[in-house]
Amino acid sequence: MSELHDLTALEQGAAIRSGEVSTAELVEHYLARIDRRGKELGAFVTVTPEHARAARPVGDGPLAGVPTAIKDLNATRGVRTSFGSPVFADFVPDFDDEVVRRIAAAGMVSLGKTSTPEFGSPCYTEPEGLPPAVTPWDTRRMAGGSSGGAGAAVSAGLVPLAQGSDGGGSIRIPASCCGIVGLKPSRGRISGAPMYGDPVGLSTNAPLARTVRDAAAFLDVMAGRAVGDPFWAPAEAQPFLAACDRAPGRLRIARFSEPAIAEAAVDPECLAAWEDASALLESLGHEVVDIDVPLPPEAVAVFETCWSVLTSLSVVNLPEESRSLLRPLTTWLAERGMAVSGAEFGLAIGEIRRVAARTLAAVAQYDAVLTPTLAAPPLPVGTIRNDADPSADFEAQKRFTPYTSMWNVTGSPAISLPTHQTPDGLPVGVMLATRPGDEVTLLSLGAQVEAAHAGAGSAWRDRVPPGW
């Protein structure tokens, strides 16, 4: 057998079912790896060896018994959940989020909580008083955010796959920075129970994995509505994993590379990744068509209004002494959100729905849309963060991530695929999106691209960072 962490999550699940390896062996193997590299990479804020060793996984699904990790934005009963903030450094919930319950019900074993920035707001993961989350490919550079700890953990083989969340790119950004697969599902595909903290509908839980098949299998674990959900995606007749074995057929794929939400210079390596992906898609028989940016310019201001109000909801009930502990960016965004009246917020939600409709109408004739994931490879730690000028920090975030939030606005599924590396070995992703509710086409197409890379001798699973 290969080293245990060389196996994909699905291969580990199969090895458990065959008796070739036990969950206990996998737990100890990964705990040792976390102990060795977790702090260096800023991947975990809380490790839970006692919980993991005491777990008695049930179920016979493809991921039963496989270790994973939970983002520190998600409530975990009896395990510290700080939401990336010193304000909640000692908070221990007495309940699990719905997605956490589903992961446990599938027999998966959490090894702890992965790092996130304060309330998951920025696109980098540099929580106050803790090590930054860095990409294992160059530990001087960021892992992205806000699921940066999860991205670093999966990329470095500290867990085979991890749960994260995505409200403006927070799965796909670290996927590109860390050279792994990041899948943002459709709005309502995964329940936000019991807190329903995002009334706008931008955010969703989501998987980070080394392969498209692993991401699809983890989506199967997390997907499905809960009683009381305000909206949900239609249930699929077959598991999403089955979509990876289905040929997508000949698709019409739109593409653009002009930044959608900010004036930004796009790094030549990101454009090269996008051009190479376009050529590969054409070689696979798809029609690739150049289009203009489908997101109307007015979307940016309305998204920012909604984003700032969502930030304010995280702090509005905090006492003044706790607010003094908040990061300058959080304070700036929250104050901006608190200045928005209830009526203005209601109008903004209505407008973001109309913007989404116009965007979807502009790409309705296409089966998928291809863009770069980011405007640059992973940046050095601290490049974006600007505590002295939070507004400049926010603008720099937009320039780094000018593509991802568009699909949060529309509610479309989108995936970042690790198709490219710079000459000095930094990972660069490309992003595909499909119509809302159509993860089947997205996963089928993503798996086809992955298989083509493997057939050309550049399988993503075999491309591992230093220290692997």
Side-chain angles (χ1 to χ4, degrees), residues 10 62 183 189 211-220 235-249 251 286 413 415 434 437-451:
L10 284 167
L183 170 63
R189 176 66 68 195
T211 70
V212 175
R213 288 179 60 82
D214 280 0
F218 204 10
L219 179 59
D220 282 323
E236 289 293 333
Q238 291 185 312
F240 288 111
L241 181 56
C244 298
D245 298 321
R246 194 197 91 170
L251 304 179
H286 304 297
I415 193 168
T434 52
D438 194 8
E439 282 90 342
V440 168
T441 295
L442 185 65
L443 290 165
S444 175
L445 181 59
Q448 185 186 49
V449 171
E450 185 174 50

Side-chain angles (χ1 to χ4, degrees), residues 393-414:
D393 181 317
F394 192 72
E395 291 302 313
Q397 291 186 59
K398 288 162 58 180
R399 290 192 295 272
F400 183 52
T401 65
Y403 307 102
T404 53
S405 60
M406 174 169 59
W407 305 120
N408 298 86
V409 169
T410 65
S412 306

